[in-house]
Amino acid sequence: MANSDTRSPRFVQWLAFLVFSIITLGSVVEVVKDNDAKNGRTSAGSWSIACSAITFTITLIVNLMHTNSITSLFIVGTKVEGGLCLLLVIFWIALVAVVTDSRQGLAVDEVGAVDNGNLYYFSWAGFVCSILLLTSYLRDAFGINVAGELRNRSPRLSLWSAHLATAIVVMGSSANFYDSTCGIANNEKCGRAVYGIVYGAMATLGAVAIVGLKIATSKAPFLAEILVSFILVVLCGFGVAFITSQKGPGAELGNLYYFTWASFLTSFMLLASCVEDYNSAATSQSSSMDEDPHSGPAIIHSVPSSESPVSSP
């Protein structure tokens, strides 16, 4: 059943998505037209135009329906809106994957550097907006607060999930750079791209393990979590130095540059959060011992089965 309001609480987000769709559509048409004159039409270019045009049409219709009190009843808070939000997420994931692929020559060049700023940044902005639309719909329609659920499920689960996403992008972008640039005569950038692949794979495995434990058991061994966080900070530190330096594959602004730094920041925040929790627990234990100086750490002694423990007075 539709909400009583004629406008969705996501109306501003729908408007923003319309703007992103217009800019993305105009940019991709311009880029594909230029590429057609040089190399001819490719399937990636055709897909990018089709995906942008479909999402623009959907978003325009939804915004127009919001302006009328009758038509808004068929879209605001209904399953139709939820289905469209999910559809936009799927389309935009595919669009971002294509336009930021260095092999396609759309938003980035052959080494992954941003070649068309409007297409690159507004395609990512549209992707983020589509995710926000879907999470907002789930919260309002079903009471599912995705961000809240991640926070309540286990400490730092949202941070681990974010680090997992950044590690996957670093691994994929490094592999993309290696495939498109490195040949028989490998240079220093190729060696650093290999480090990006290895680091991304290791970070992905570590993050998957921690996220899996947190989802399955609502917690992960704290010692394992802080150890993995420390290792990731070290790996990410070297990754930032090797990958984003002038001689690295991520020197130019692009997915590899941005997500290498994002990976380092999330790993640092994870380690800082673990250290903060450890200090809080140590401070709490110290305070309790100060209040009762005769109390000590709890020690469980084994009692023979034939005897019963004697309670102290």
Side-chain angles (χ1 to χ4, degrees), residues 14 17 55 58-59 84-92 130:
W14 279 112
F17 196 87
T55 53
I58 292 174
T59 311
L84 292 177
C85 290
L86 179 60
L87 184 64
L88 291 176
V89 169
I90 295 173
F91 271 113
W92 224 254
S130 66

Side-chain angles (χ1 to χ4, degrees), residues 88-116:
L88 291 176
V89 169
I90 295 173
F91 271 113
W92 224 254
I93 289 175
L95 179 63
V96 169
V98 171
V99 300
T100 61
D101 189 342
S102 61
R103 294 168 295 186
Q104 308 302 335
L106 297 175
V108 296
D109 60 17
E110 63 276 1
V111 296
V114 177
D115 192 39
N116 187 302

Side-chain angles (χ1 to χ4, degrees), residues 161-174 200-201 203-204 208 259 263:
S161 301
H163 184 77
L164 174 60
T166 60
I168 291 174
V169 175
V170 170
M171 179 176 60
S173 298
S174 298
T204 299
V208 165
F259 282 91
S263 183

Side-chain angles (χ1 to χ4, degrees), residues 25 101 139 189-190 257 263 273:
L25 177 59
D101 189 342
R139 182 177 61 249
K189 286 190 175 183
C190 296
Y257 176 87
S263 183
S273 178

Side-chain angles (χ1 to χ4, degrees), residues 5-12 14-15 59-73 75-77 81:
D5 297 334
T6 59
R7 286 186 178 178
S8 168
R10 292 165 292 283
F11 181 61
V12 174
W14 279 112
L15 283 175
T59 311
L60 178 62
I61 293 174
V62 171
N63 277 279
L64 291 176
M65 292 180 71
H66 275 82
T67 61
N68 185 276
S69 59
I70 297 177
T71 56
S72 63
L73 297 175
I75 191 66
V76 177
E81 185 181 17

Side-chain angles (χ1 to χ4, degrees), residues 163 167 170 192 194-207 227-244 259-261 263-265 267-268 271:
H163 184 77
V170 170
R192 299 189 180 197
V194 172
Y195 177 84
I197 297 172
V198 175
Y199 150 68
M202 294 177 63
T204 299
L205 291 176
L227 178 62
V228 173
S229 300
F230 176 76
I231 293 173
L232 289 178
V233 168
V234 175
L235 291 175
C236 292
F238 281 109
V240 167
F242 289 154
I243 296 174
T244 64
F259 282 91
T260 299
W261 274 107
S263 183
F264 173 74
L265 292 176
S267 65
F268 182 81
L271 182 60

